[in-house]
Amino acid sequence: METQIPRYIDDPSQFLFWDLDEALIMIGSFCFGILLGYPFWGGVAGLVSGRALRKLRSGKAEGYFWHALYRAGIVKGSPPGYIREMVE
């Protein structure tokens, strides 16, 4: 089994062999299923939502999901997106 080491520092983060955003949605769905008392169905919902996210992102740039959340104001970034130059 080969281990892939990111080549650049700005490569997207991964959890096992999923991108981080897919993994967070799948794990979140599974945990929600555990809270409701249906861990199997939570896991199924996690796999389905992870696959749906992958299809939604296909053909788009890496980090598309995070950029969409940032533009919607859900995820805060540093610095804000409208600042083009940093002056000390």
Side-chain angles (χ1 to χ4, degrees):
M1 183 174 183
E2 294 182 21
T3 302
Q4 292 184 354
I5 299 172
R7 201 162 184 195
Y8 302 103
I9 196 165
D10 58 347
D11 281 348
S13 301
Q14 291 195 326
F15 176 75
L16 298 178
F17 48 87
W18 295 295
D19 287 343
L20 187 61
D21 50 356
E22 293 172 6
L24 289 175
I25 287 178
M26 289 190 291
I27 291 170
S29 297
F30 180 68
C31 290
F32 191 68
I34 288 174
L35 289 173
L36 292 177
Y38 298 102
F40 175 75
W41 293 113
V44 170
L47 291 174
V48 169
S49 60
R51 178 167 281 206
L53 177 63
R54 183 171 284 188
K55 283 192 171 223
L56 177 71
R57 291 185 323 165
S58 66
K60 296 182 175 64
E62 291 181 12
Y64 169 78
F65 183 69
W66 293 112
H67 288 283
L69 290 176
Y70 176 74
R71 284 285 190 193
I74 297 170
V75 175
K76 300 297 179 198
S78 165
Y82 59 86
I83 296 178
R84 298 292 179 211
E85 294 182 18
M86 298 296 290
V87 180
E88 290 188 32

